[in-house]
Amino acid sequence: MILDLVKELNAWAGLLSVVGMALVAIAMLYLRSVFAPQSALEEERRDRDEITKELTDRVHTLERSVDKLDQLAAVAPTQTDLQKIAVAIESFRGDFKAMAAEVTALDRSVSQIGRKVDMLVENEIQVAQNRKGSS
């Protein structure tokens, strides 16, 4: 019985090998469509490496920008500082108003002194002319 089975398989061996090879070829084609070839994987890896490098550069640039902003924020005036500056400006405004009033008063005084000096000069000129005329 086993001998008959072996003889029967031997008769079908050529056909079975062709069918088996066809099945292996079909399986390989199917696997090729499922899995990517090595060249495609290498290309994908290169593309991902480039994108990773670009993203890393962008992250470093953003980190530097954030560091600069942190440094600027550290030295930026606080609300309390701005309030102090506003109070100081108001104080200067009051001082300037007081100085303007003083300057106005000094201007009046100088104008009065200037008129008196002008009158003295005119008087001296008249006296000098009277002396010339009488001599």
Side-chain angles (χ1 to χ4, degrees), residues 32-133:
R32 185 176 178 162
S33 68
V34 172
F35 295 105
Q38 185 71 24
S39 61
L41 290 175
E42 290 296 324
E43 183 178 339
E44 181 71 22
R45 184 177 295 132
R46 280 192 303 271
D47 291 344
R48 287 188 184 198
D49 288 344
E50 288 176 17
I51 291 170
T52 302
K53 184 180 182 306
E54 289 174 7
L55 289 175
T56 303
D57 292 343
R58 287 180 64 190
V59 167
H60 288 306
T61 302
L62 289 173
E63 286 175 346
R64 284 192 299 269
S65 297
V66 167
D67 288 342
K68 285 180 186 177
L69 289 175
D70 286 343
Q71 291 172 352
L72 291 174
V75 297
T78 62
Q79 185 176 0
T80 306
D81 295 336
L82 294 175
Q83 288 173 346
K84 288 178 183 177
I85 290 170
V87 168
I89 288 172
E90 288 297 321
S91 172
F92 286 136
R93 184 181 294 166
D95 292 345
F96 284 133
K97 285 182 181 178
M99 288 171 29
E102 288 179 23
V103 168
T104 303
L106 285 174
D107 186 44
R108 286 187 198 134
S109 298
V110 169
S111 295
Q112 290 174 355
I113 292 171
R115 276 187 251 128
K116 290 179 182 178
V117 167
D118 287 342
M119 289 172 42
L120 285 173
V121 169
E122 285 178 18
N123 187 31
E124 286 298 319
I125 290 173
Q126 284 180 357
V127 168
Q129 286 177 354
N130 287 343
R131 281 189 198 156
K132 272 188 181 180

